[in-house]
Amino acid sequence: MRSKQMPAVTVPHRSTSNPAPIAQHQRLALLRQLADHDDVPLQDRVAAVLVLLYAQPLTRIARLGTDDVRHEDGEVLIRLGDPPSPVPAPFAGMLLDYLGQRPNTMTATNPDARWLFPGRRAGQPMTPSTLELRLRHLGFPIQRGRTAAIRHLVLQAPASVIARMLGYNDDTTARLAEEAGGTWRHYAPGDHSR
């Protein structure tokens, strides 16, 4: 462009600011619908629950493996960070049901797929854009639901604890907690068992 060999190029950008979250009662109503509607494909319901309960971005959901879901001593856990997060009923049952009937595992290209959301290409997970299209087709408010979930979580527990459990950065959750009016600002992270 400096040598006048090509015209000036304008690169469009998308705003990265968090949209206004849905209200807590709307979030809970969506969770109830996901638990009750058998007419919605199970993989879409599981992905939506991961957004609404654990504020997971679709890029991270797409990378989850079957080994990230554990069923120990009658409790279902999902490893999003450290320690693994408990999965409450009825979503624990939904997640276990989904593990037994994941799509794209009976084809010649994916017989041993370890991805929680296997894609159509051999050994590859479903792409985040495919997950997004599926959830948008259902009219699911992905970003607003995720924003509501993380804001609710940082109001319930210290931001550093939420960050570790969900695989978020401490600074991000601290900023979100401050924006949400959290009261855990003076919580000292670390080992308090001494």
Side-chain angles (χ1 to χ4, degrees):
M1 287 189 307
R2 285 184 190 156
S3 64
K4 309 288 187 218
Q5 299 298 317
M6 69 179 279
V9 176
T10 304
V11 178
H13 72 283
R14 183 171 27 160
S15 172
T16 58
S17 63
N18 282 337
I22 59 175
Q24 178 66 358
H25 68 84
Q26 291 173 306
R27 181 175 158 261
L28 295 175
L30 282 171
L31 284 166
R32 271 187 231 97
Q33 288 175 0
L34 292 168
D36 295 338
H37 285 320
D38 292 333
D39 56 331
V40 175
L42 189 55
Q43 78 178 23
D44 298 343
R45 291 167 46 208
V46 169
V49 164
L50 291 172
V51 171
L52 286 174
L53 276 184
Y54 302 107
Q56 292 300 296
L58 296 179
T59 53
R60 201 173 300 155
I61 290 172
R63 290 191 319 254
L64 287 173
T66 55
D67 56 336
D68 290 322
V69 178
R70 293 195 233 155
H71 190 201
E72 301 172 353
D73 302 324
E75 185 176 25
V76 177
L77 303 168
I78 187 160
R79 187 176 51 221
L80 303 168
D82 186 40
S85 301
V87 181
F91 305 113
M94 185 187 323
L95 187 57
L96 293 176
D97 289 346
Y98 174 70
L99 278 175
Q101 59 188 26
R102 291 174 303 135
N104 299 330
T105 57
M106 301 309 249
T107 62
T109 58
N110 272 335
D112 299 319
R114 69 163 204 84
W115 300 105
L116 190 59
F117 296 94
R120 291 187 180 187
R121 291 187 175 177
Q124 297 295 314
M126 186 180 290
T127 64
S129 58
T130 301
L131 278 171
E132 181 178 10
L133 286 172
R134 293 181 67 93
L135 294 180
R136 287 210 188 281
H137 178 70
L138 297 173
F140 183 76
I142 301 166
Q143 188 64 34
R144 294 178 65 220
R146 185 172 154 239
T147 302
I150 192 68
R151 286 191 177 184
H152 178 73
L153 290 168
V154 296
L155 290 174
Q156 300 301 311
S160 59
V161 172
I162 298 300
R164 279 193 302 277
M165 285 187 75
L166 300 182
Y168 273 80
N169 181 293
D170 283 339
D171 294 337
T172 302
T173 54
R175 181 180 48 77
L176 290 169
E178 188 175 320
E179 286 174 9
T183 58
W184 295 95
R185 275 193 357 214
H186 302 292
Y187 176 80
D191 185 9
H192 297 282
S193 60
R194 296 179 224 160

